[in-house]
Amino acid sequence: MTTPKLAIVGAGSMADYHCKGFSRAGAEVVAIADMDTSRARAFGEGRGIKHFYKDLSEMIAAHPDLDAVSVITPNKFHKPLVIEALEKGKHVYCEKPPALNAAEMRAMLEASKKSGKILMFDFNNRARPEAQAIFRYIRDGRVGKINSAQASWIRRAGIPGFGGWFTTRALSGGGPVIDLPHMLDLALWFMGYPEPEYLLGSAYYDFIDNKAFKGPWGIPDSANSVTDVEAACHGMVTFKTGQSLMVRSSWAEMNEREVVSVTFQGTKMGGKVERFFGIDGLDETSIDSCKLFAEEYGNQVDLAIKTKKDESMGRINNAANFVDAIQGIAPPMNSPEQALILMRIIDALYESAASKKPVSMRETGS
Ligand SMILES: NC(=O)c1ccc[n+]([C@@H]2O[C@H](COP(=O)([O-])OP(=O)(O)OC[C@H]3O[C@@H](n4cnc5c(N)ncnc54)[C@H](O)[C@@H]3O)[C@@H](O)[C@H]2O)c1
């Protein structure tokens, strides 16, 4: 088998995880493009990447034999870059969120179908050891049907910089709802990615201009620029299957601490996957856990599953799976069809929050 050749567009914060996952699976990262070529060069040097470009078109023209491209740019550029790479016959690995909205995601799905190439996203939380451990119980029928679930990524003070692309809706698509879709995706995956039926959501803008709510990471504040996204959003979705899901997302809200979890209640067992971020939100001090809750012989039984620690939160595993998928060694861990359902729910959360009305996802086909 020949070594798959990959290239990266956007020397973003996730590029190192992508590279580690790609090389662990036996692929070679041959080139990197960034509109800021000094950033591409700084990233490539020391990692053995010898070719640097300003944009994707230039990079593909110079390396027509590339098998795949990974996209790590601000959200607004996901759709055009993904579609260009697919149309040029490359498999694509794209950072989350998939796109700015469902209409963009539909176009990306069509492009992947037309090209026959794999389009996979960095829903890295599915590839975390805890999520994988719980999923085996779900897949093997031991949890039963998941009736209800709660997906939370709530931060007390986690605005990722003021006035940069994260807080500019035209570039990001929105605030925490679209920036932190991981637990929503994880809950939907556990539930079997059912077809949504109705949704009710509310968004809040308190604290979005308050520097006391800035996170310990993200990008530098930029002066005189836009901050027009929500600080928090809470909603509920029901599905045609009778299942229901509550969603909580925030960058800035009076919570006790950052909570990153999916909890669920099945007909045979309940369970949860959780990450507690440690000091100042640093990954290496975080604690991951997963548990199942059952009733056995008249007793309430809790099953605490011990898994390996993964500081990368599944990012390396997920990138490695992409390389396996393009070689036909393993199925891709997520699909564009699932990404479309996710983006329809995100659209409907914003629509319901703006209209202050429930959204029928059936009627609008949103
Ligand atoms: N999976 C995760 O846990 C995770 C974590 C952080 C960020 N992300 C996602 O990664 C993506 C990038 O975020 P970031 O924080 O690294 O952003 P960033 O702003 O730090 O980096 C983005 C890079 O892309 C470059 N760029 C922008 N448009 C480009 C284009 N059209 N062509 C070439 N280069 C271009 C910029 O110059 C910059 O170097 C976002 O979609 C974000 O949501 C995912």
Side-chain angles (χ1 to χ4, degrees):
M1 191 176 288
T2 53
T3 303
K5 285 190 167 56
L6 274 73
I8 291 173
V9 54
S13 54
M14 293 297 108
D16 190 50
Y17 296 113
H18 288 216
C19 278
K20 285 181 174 142
F22 297 155
S23 51
R24 194 183 80 191
E28 185 191 356
V29 180
V30 295
I32 178 160
D34 196 298
M35 55 181 19
D36 177 349
T37 41
S38 65
R39 224 179 153 189
R41 187 172 290 278
F43 180 82
E45 279 170 4
R47 287 183 178 82
I49 304 172
K50 294 189 185 73
H51 303 283
F52 315 107
Y53 301 93
K54 198 169 176 49
D55 61 39
L56 176 68
S57 314
E58 204 182 68
M59 183 163 71
I60 294 182
H63 299 270
D65 60 340
L66 282 176
D67 294 292
V69 168
S70 104
V71 175
I72 321 179
T73 62
N75 309 343
K76 179 184 162 59
F77 307 107
H78 290 185
K79 178 197 156 199
L81 294 169
V82 164
I83 291 183
E84 180 182 347
L86 288 168
E87 285 177 348
K88 290 179 175 168
K90 311 302 170 199
H91 299 288
V92 181
Y93 186 65
C94 178
E95 262 306 332
K96 64 78 204 165
L100 293 184
N101 51 49
E104 288 195 353
M105 186 54 233
R106 265 200 188 89
M108 291 154 74
L109 169 59
E110 287 313 314
S112 78
K113 279 191 193 154
K114 211 169 155 191
S115 68
K117 297 291 167 185
I118 287 176
L119 169 57
M120 185 177 151
F121 297 95
D122 191 13
F123 296 140
N124 53 282
N125 280 263
R126 293 194 203 183
R128 282 167 54 184
E130 314 83 56
Q132 288 288 314
I134 290 276
F135 189 70
R136 285 190 75 166
Y137 287 82
I138 296 171
R139 191 193 57 199
D140 292 351
R142 295 183 60 185
V143 165
K145 179 183 177 186
I146 293 180
N147 286 333
S148 48
Q150 300 75 38
S152 305
W153 196 317
I154 50 170
R155 287 181 175 153
R156 183 167 178 162
I159 299 172
F162 294 82
W165 74 260
F166 277 104
T167 59
T168 306
R169 184 174 295 278
L171 297 173
S172 61
V177 173
I178 196 160
D179 181 43
L180 303 173
H182 294 287
M183 294 301 112
L184 175 56
D185 169 70
L186 191 60
L188 289 166
W189 184 50
F190 286 169
M191 295 169 88
Y193 252 94
E195 178 60 24
E197 193 167 34
Y198 296 101
L199 182 145
L200 184 61
S202 298
Y204 302 94
Y205 292 80
D206 306 82
F207 322 122
I208 196 64
D209 287 318
N210 186 336
K211 302 253 158 111
F213 287 84
K214 184 176 159 98
W217 20 244
I219 52 180
D221 300 346
S222 46
N224 305 320
S225 50
V226 188
T227 295
D228 63 353
V229 298
E230 78 284 358
C233 180
H234 296 257
M236 178 164 175
V237 200
T238 58
F239 299 89
K240 288 189 179 157
T241 50
Q243 293 161 288
S244 62
L245 172 62
M246 302 192 75
V247 191
R248 303 166 70 201
S249 306
S250 67
W251 280 344
E253 211 177 38
M254 300 292 186
N255 295 299
E256 187 181 3
R257 59 177 301 161
E258 179 159 4
V259 174
V260 183
S261 68
V262 168
T263 49
F264 58 84
Q265 299 75 40
T267 52
K268 295 183 187 166
M269 280 202 259
K272 74 170 178 179
V273 170
E274 192 166 47
R275 161 165 279 217
F276 275 138
F277 280 96
I279 309 151
D280 292 334
L282 292 174
D283 284 6
E284 58 269 25
T285 54
S286 63
I287 298 166
D288 295 318
S289 65
C290 58
K291 278 187 182 168
L292 288 164
F293 311 117
E295 185 281 328
E296 285 176 355
Y297 307 112
N299 297 313
Q300 293 173 2
V301 177
D302 294 355
L303 212 62
I305 305 170
K306 307 287 181 203
T307 57
K308 272 193 189 159
K309 191 167 169 61
D310 179 2
E311 280 167 21
S312 87
M313 289 184 84
R315 291 166 180 141
I316 296 171
N317 293 341
N318 203 57
N321 168 255
F322 172 69
V323 174
D324 289 347
I326 66 173
Q327 296 181 101
I329 296 169
M333 253 189 232
N334 60 71
S335 70
E337 286 80 3
Q338 292 170 339
L340 180 56
I341 292 179
L342 180 86
M343 289 313 306
R344 287 171 55 210
I345 291 175
I346 289 173
D347 277 9
L349 278 167
Y350 285 131
E351 185 185 332
S352 177
S355 65
K356 303 194 190 312
K357 291 194 175 122
V359 170
S360 167
M361 296 187 70
R362 272 181 163 175
E363 283 165 18
T364 60
S366 62

